[in-house]
Amino acid sequence: MTTTSEETTGQLLPDVMLERFRGRAAGYDAANAFFTEDFEELMQAGYLRLLVETPPGDAGGMQRATWAQRRLAAAAPATALGVNMHLVWTAVAGLLADRGDASLHFVLDEAARDEIFAFGVSEPGNDAVLFDSLTRVERLPDGGYSYTGTKVFTSLSPVWTRLGIFGKLEGVNGDDDVILHAFVPRGTPGVETLEDWDPLGMRATRSNTTRLRNVRVTPDAVFRRLPVGPNADLLVFGIFAAFETLIASVYLGIADRALDLAVQAVAQRRSHVAQRVLSDDPVLRSLLAGVAMKRTGVEAELRGVAEDLDSRADVGSQWFARLVTLKTHAVETAVAATSAALRVGGGSGFAASSEVVRLHRDALAGQFHPSTEESARATVATALLGPPSV
């Protein structure tokens, strides 16, 4: 990350703002409330236009966004994860445009006018993720389509104005089934947000379930038609690349903060028996050093992936393996860092109100984001060995 990017990100997310966010995070978590005040400040600061004003490509948009999200997550993980979903859509639009595909340029135009984008993609029981859908799409007489299904983990539920959805249209007369991607505006009839978000961690994202009941979509609102099953379409690459990279940034930010708290704890606590500060304890020194080494590795991975995305590096079939590995390593490091911070912090750090406890719960949420560890290992194995023969 260049010094210029760090400086401009610091201007966008000044320390005083981040301290306000950190001060509110515990209250949002305890109340299971959306991060309304944080969101308003980020909107006023133009943060949600981050990848519109500095797009992926030669401008270095992915590098700047990863740095910014890491910094934001160290102060307020749920705030960072929530706005991440909007930033992912703008990143996808920018990555496609940088590679000659202007099909999502309207996303950038609308984001510049402060429309808020969210993902209505994840479905209960659909482990195919983008390659199939349990949402049913039907043709309408006027040429449009009707979507019926259930979407989960719809972050930014209280504030989104554009929801990206997809579903499967069954083929007729011998045609193959196809996946149709579209956006629907807030207030579209048939879109219902359930007030069912009450998780262990990342509570302030308000990632409610969304039900679609005969949601009508005009033909021109469908921006992609893809075959069912794995495919190399640029949209699939863009979503995976943007999502995995920015998700990794959030969990690396959690690791940053957890390590800071762990260092503070061992520097302040003393052993009554050994009559020394815990920062001199060889076991604890080794524990924190191991976590710091993991963080250094993920930091290098993240920087390399972001730089290669901006430079349009051609790594062919290795892209997906790199992306899922980065995300997996970032989540593992966040869990390791928060676990270590709990261990060195003493009994008082086990209180439900402790920042370390909240960070640990937030870190555990990483296992539920695509790709899961099992899916990631399958992806890497395929890149390494080819697809299984049976």
Side-chain angles (χ1 to χ4, degrees):
M1 184 62 59
T2 65
T3 301
T4 300
S5 294
E6 294 177 13
E7 288 176 350
T8 56
T9 300
Q11 295 167 3
L12 193 61
L13 294 171
D15 290 342
V16 65
M17 174 190 285
L18 293 179
E19 285 305 315
R20 286 196 297 271
F21 289 5
R22 180 173 288 120
R24 290 192 286 248
Y28 292 146
D29 179 78
N32 194 22
F34 184 67
F35 53 92
T36 301
E37 294 87 353
D38 290 3
F39 183 79
E40 291 173 353
E41 286 201 49
L42 291 170
M43 284 286 290
Q44 292 171 7
Y47 187 79
L48 277 77
R49 298 193 297 273
L50 178 66
L51 282 156
V52 177
E53 297 170 354
T54 307
D58 294 338
M62 289 304 295
Q63 297 169 73
R64 186 180 185 218
T66 57
W67 180 265
Q69 282 296 89
R70 179 180 177 183
R71 180 171 163 81
L72 177 57
T79 295
L81 184 63
V83 300
N84 214 55
M85 302 311 162
H86 168 87
L87 293 177
V88 167
W89 270 125
T90 57
V92 172
L95 288 169
L96 266 60
D98 191 48
R99 288 157 176 77
D101 183 337
S103 61
L104 285 180
H105 201 278
F106 69 91
V107 170
L108 300 176
D109 290 340
E110 293 193 355
R113 297 193 295 270
D114 291 332
E115 300 292 351
I116 307 301
F117 288 81
F119 271 85
V121 171
S122 296
E123 299 170 333
N126 180 15
D127 57 356
V129 194
L130 291 173
F131 297 141
D132 201 351
S133 178
L134 303 180
T135 295
R136 186 179 73 256
V137 179
E138 297 179 347
R139 292 181 176 85
L140 297 176
D142 62 3
Y145 303 94
S146 170
Y147 286 68
T148 298
T150 299
K151 307 293 184 176
V152 292
F153 298 115
T154 312
S155 299
L156 299 178
S157 284
V159 295
W160 64 259
T161 63
R162 301 288 186 268
L163 182 66
I165 61 174
F166 79 151
K168 181 165 64 178
L169 176 66
E170 294 185 358
V172 295
N173 300 324
D175 292 338
D176 292 334
D177 297 348
V178 293
I179 302 295
L180 302 186
H181 291 260
F183 284 100
V184 294
R186 196 175 193 91
T188 299
V191 178
E192 179 188 8
T193 298
L194 306 185
E195 294 295 330
D196 61 346
W197 185 246
D198 191 14
L200 178 68
M202 291 295 187
R203 290 161 61 78
T205 62
R206 296 305 302 171
S207 304
N208 297 331
T209 296
T210 303
R211 284 183 180 159
L212 309 176
R213 289 192 177 94
N214 299 316
V215 175
R216 298 173 67 89
V217 171
T218 60
D220 59 354
V222 174
F223 64 87
R224 212 61 152 215
R225 302 171 64 98
L226 297 177
V228 174
N231 65 84
D233 189 86
L234 191 56
L235 176 68
V236 174
F237 168 76
I239 292 176
F240 266 96
F243 188 88
E244 301 292 77
T245 305
L246 292 175
I247 282 285
S249 305
V250 169
Y251 287 93
L252 185 55
I254 294 175
D256 289 337
R257 179 60 177 170
L259 267 176
D260 285 347
L261 293 173
V263 168
Q264 291 174 22
V266 296
Q268 294 168 0
R269 298 181 64 220
R270 293 183 61 85
S271 167
H272 175 69
V273 173
Q275 288 298 299
R276 65 186 178 191
V277 293
L278 293 187
S279 57
D280 290 336
D281 184 295
V283 174
L284 299 185
R285 291 174 69 87
S286 178
L287 173 66
L288 296 186
V291 174
M293 291 166 70
K294 288 178 180 287
R295 180 181 64 172
T296 298
V298 175
E299 186 175 49
E301 279 188 83
L302 178 60
R303 182 182 296 111
V305 166
E307 289 177 353
D308 283 352
L309 287 173
D310 278 331
S311 66
R312 299 172 294 282
D314 183 8
V315 298
S317 61
Q318 296 301 310
W319 257 126
F320 289 96
R322 286 184 67 189
L323 292 165
V324 299
T325 299
L326 168 62
K327 181 266 180 180
T328 300
H329 284 169
V331 173
E332 289 174 348
T333 300
V335 172
T338 56
S339 297
L342 279 171
R343 178 174 174 182
V344 305
S348 63
F350 193 58
S353 59
S354 125
E355 182 178 1
V356 172
V357 168
R358 175 168 50 80
L359 291 175
H360 186 60
R361 289 188 284 105
D362 284 347
L364 294 176
Q367 65 187 297
F368 297 104
H369 305 305
S371 291
T372 63
E373 183 175 354
E374 295 79 8
S375 176
R377 288 179 182 272
T379 297
V380 174
T382 297
L384 186 66
L385 303 169
S389 57
V390 291

